[in-house]
Amino acid sequence: MAVDYATLRGQVIYIKGDEEMLINDKIRQDLFAEVEGINDENLNQKPSENEWSIKQILEHLYLMEGGIAKNINHQLQNGKVVNAEKKPIEATINRDIKVDAPEFAVPTSEYASIEELKMKLAATHKNLLDIEKTADAKDLEAKGYPHPIFGDISLKQWIPFVAYHEQRHILQIKEVKEKLSL
């Protein structure tokens, strides 16, 4: 069985077989650590009119994870075999490359609490984990759907893509915290 490696802050994390969610779990812990101690007022505060608040970033993350899980499920049921080549999805972390959020994942300006957001993030994370645990490994490898930058990505690679996307937004949260002096 092939082993894929990913490096996070100098720490190597391995992904093999049915352990694609390992990196997702690690990054989710990092995300929660990054927002630890932020009160709801600061959470909902935007650093400027054209920038997202930390609340909006967290909302975007659960909307993306939920949307990706839904797409993976749909492709498992109805998708075609694409046999996508492995893509450099770890490049998602690079914040110098700007990508507009898909319409389904654009956050609202509605007020939310950290507890509410953590519950929604936990629900989408569990959904993705359930899919990863129950899906046929051959289908995850063979089927896929397109990403706006990378092109066709296998369903198997979409799972750790969620983690790299989340890591990208942890960096954004750090930037927002700095601008808000948190």
Side-chain angles (χ1 to χ4, degrees), residues 82-87 141-144 152-154 157:
V82 297
N83 290 318
E85 290 184 26
K86 191 170 178 145
K87 302 298 190 310
E141 191 70 49
K143 294 181 178 183
D152 281 341
I153 298 179
S154 72
Q157 253 199 314

Side-chain angles (χ1 to χ4, degrees), residues 31-93:
L31 175 67
F32 286 159
E34 195 59 45
V35 298
E36 185 68 33
I38 297 176
N39 66 39
D40 292 342
E41 290 302 318
N42 289 332
L43 185 78
N44 286 273
Q45 185 180 357
K46 293 172 73 170
S48 74
E49 187 59 38
N50 297 325
E51 294 177 277
W52 286 352
S53 66
I54 295 170
K55 172 264 172 192
Q56 289 175 305
I57 297 167
L58 296 176
E59 181 180 1
H60 168 72
L61 291 174
Y62 78 71
L63 290 170
M64 276 297 287
E65 185 173 47
I68 289 170
K70 182 178 176 182
N71 280 335
I72 290 172
N73 238 350
H74 177 77
Q75 293 301 320
L76 285 168
Q77 303 300 317
N78 308 303
K80 297 176 184 163
V81 171
V82 297
N83 290 318
E85 290 184 26
K86 191 170 178 145
K87 302 298 190 310
I89 58 171
E90 45 294 319
T92 302
I93 295 171

Side-chain angles (χ1 to χ4, degrees), residues 9 11 18 22 26 34 36 47 57 74 76 79 83 87 89 97 103 109 123 126 157-159 163 166 169 181:
R9 294 190 313 257
Q11 180 180 14
D18 62 350
L22 209 73
K26 168 70 174 106
E34 195 59 45
E36 185 68 33
I57 297 167
H74 177 77
L76 285 168
N83 290 318
K87 302 298 190 310
I89 58 171
I97 301 168
E103 194 173 313
S109 58
K126 182 183 180 318
Q157 253 199 314
W158 272 105
I159 294 169
E166 209 158 280
H169 287 291
S181 300

Side-chain angles (χ1 to χ4, degrees), residues 130-150:
D130 290 346
I131 292 168
E132 189 267 340
K133 282 186 172 187
T134 60
D136 182 276
K138 289 178 186 161
D139 283 342
L140 286 173
E141 191 70 49
K143 294 181 178 183
Y145 65 95
H147 180 276
I149 302 291
F150 299 116

